[in-house]
């Protein structure tokens, strides 16, 4: 884990605003348009005058959404993990890898819940912990995303999210990983997609983006 992602037990929790007291949903959206709050994800907002470390804020937001509904071993994955690690527009779904079956809650979340039972939660090398949030590593997240490269419904979002993560992982490490996992479903297309993305940004692969550059609150 890079120093930028290290958490400290002495840091105060990130406090989000949600619809209810003291502000309703329409009021929060109006405050966002006025620049008083930043929209993070789902129904979570952050006062504009609060600027904690950006990755920490995204991790706290994903944690706030996930903890009430997930049990057992789990980790955010896919586009959610990519957003936590590298920023960009807030995802419309909370994607998580889980080790057991979960019933979708009757009370819907403010984002769509997408769960996948995978091996990732059993492999400590593929999960990092950011301020208490279990999250798939950059390399594992790129792999999971690019396995969607031939799925018309998910390819565009997956490729865009994966491209943001490439500067965080050396290209040769990704190639070796993809070769080692070549028997996973979708890896043939993932390997082709990886080479296409690396060819587009040959100078950035392997460099860590600054936290400030990664933080882009969505504005509606």
């Amino acid at each position: 884990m890079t120093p930028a992602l290290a958490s400290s037990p002495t840091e105060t929790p990130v406090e989000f605003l949600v619809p209810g007291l003291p502000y309703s949903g329409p009021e929060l959206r109006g405050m966002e348009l006025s620049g008083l709050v930043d929209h993070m994800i789902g129904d979570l907002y952050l006062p504009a005058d609060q600027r904690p470390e950006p990755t920490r804020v995204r991790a706290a937001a994903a944690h706030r959404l996930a903890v009430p509904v997930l049990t057992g071993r789990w980790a955010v994955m896919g586009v959610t993990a990519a957003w936590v690690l590298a920023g960009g527009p807030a995802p419309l779904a909370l994607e998580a890898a889980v080790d057991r079956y979960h019933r979708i809650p009757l009370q819907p979340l403010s984002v769509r819940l997408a769960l996948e039972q995978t091996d990732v939660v059993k492999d400590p090398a593929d999960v990092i912990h950011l301020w208490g949030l279990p999250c798939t590593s950059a390399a594992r997240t790129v792999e999971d995303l690019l396995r969607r490269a031939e799925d018309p419904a998910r390819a565009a979002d997956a490729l865009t999210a994966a491209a943001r993560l490439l500067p965080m992982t050396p290209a040769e490490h990704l190639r070796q990983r993809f070769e080692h996992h070549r028997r996973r479903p979708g890896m043939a297309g993932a390997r082709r997609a990886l080479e296409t993305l690396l060819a587009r940004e040959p100078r950035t692969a392997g460099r860590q983006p600054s936290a400030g550059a990664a933080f882009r609150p969505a504005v509606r």
Side-chain angles (χ1 to χ4, degrees), residues 17-29:
L17 295 172
V18 297
L21 295 176
Y23 305 111
S24 66
E27 286 175 324
L28 285 170
R29 289 189 288 274

Side-chain angles (χ1 to χ4, degrees), residues 22-110:
Y23 305 111
S24 66
E27 286 175 324
L28 285 170
R29 289 189 288 274
M31 292 167 67
E32 179 190 359
L33 293 174
S34 300
L36 297 176
V37 300
D38 292 323
H39 175 243
M40 297 309 303
I41 183 174
D43 59 0
L44 302 182
Y45 294 81
L46 190 71
D49 58 356
Q50 294 184 21
R51 296 293 184 185
E53 199 282 324
T55 309
R56 178 187 169 209
V57 172
R58 295 191 296 268
H63 189 273
R64 171 73 176 267
L65 293 176
V67 164
V69 294
L70 300 182
T71 61
R73 290 187 297 184
W74 58 272
V76 294
M77 66 177 296
V79 292
T80 304
W83 175 71
V84 169
L85 292 168
L92 300 178
L94 174 67
E95 292 189 47
V98 294
D99 67 350
R100 65 185 67 177
Y101 174 76
H102 283 68
R103 292 183 181 275
I104 301 300
L106 295 177
Q107 181 67 30
L109 299 180
S110 56

